[in-house]
Amino acid sequence: MKRFYEKVPRIFKNFYFLSALFFLIWMLFFDSNDIITQIKLGHKQAELENAKEFYEHKIVEVKNDREALLNNKELLEKLAREKYLMKKESEDLYIIVEEE
């Protein structure tokens, strides 16, 4: 009857194979840069890049709105009346809220 050690395939007895296998398992699961962490960081990076793109678009939009407001007095007055509820001294302001 063969002993257990004799039944093990020869490749599993090789020191270099065992070292490489240990290194691979260590790097995939136990290291601070393991594969799970790398996947999470990849998802986080994609989210941050999407947010960056969104905010860059918003910055351009705000700059365009600012330029329009600085160059057009009527648009500035309209914004002040609608958004900030400002009025002239001789006017009365009524706010109508529609119920749904």
Side-chain angles (χ1 to χ4, degrees):
M1 192 150 111
K2 290 185 174 181
R3 293 184 169 171
F4 176 74
Y5 186 73
E6 294 172 356
K7 292 180 184 179
V8 175
R10 186 172 182 179
I11 188 120
F12 292 117
K13 296 178 191 176
N14 187 332
F15 172 75
Y16 297 107
F17 175 77
L18 292 175
S19 298
L21 182 65
F22 174 76
F23 178 74
L24 183 66
I25 290 172
W26 182 266
M27 291 306 289
L28 287 176
F29 300 109
F30 300 112
D31 191 54
S32 63
N33 296 319
D34 64 346
I35 194 151
I36 297 168
T37 304
Q38 293 300 318
I39 291 170
K40 288 179 184 177
L41 289 174
H43 289 301
K44 183 72 172 177
Q45 181 180 8
E47 286 178 23
L48 291 173
E49 287 174 356
N50 289 338
K52 177 184 173 186
E53 185 177 312
F54 171 77
Y55 287 119
E56 285 175 347
H57 177 72
K58 283 295 184 184
I59 287 171
V60 170
E61 194 175 298
V62 167
K63 283 182 181 179
N64 291 338
D65 289 346
R66 182 178 181 268
E67 277 299 315
L69 286 174
L70 291 176
N71 295 328
N72 189 345
K73 296 291 181 188
E74 292 173 3
L75 188 60
L76 182 62
E77 183 179 338
K78 179 182 176 189
L79 176 76
R81 288 173 177 271
E82 291 178 0
K83 189 170 182 180
Y84 298 107
L85 304 175
M86 293 182 174
K87 64 180 183 101
K88 294 180 181 177
E89 288 186 23
S90 62
E91 294 179 333
D92 290 329
L93 183 65
Y94 298 99
I95 301 173
I96 299 172
V97 179
E98 294 181 15
E99 294 180 14
E100 292 183 28

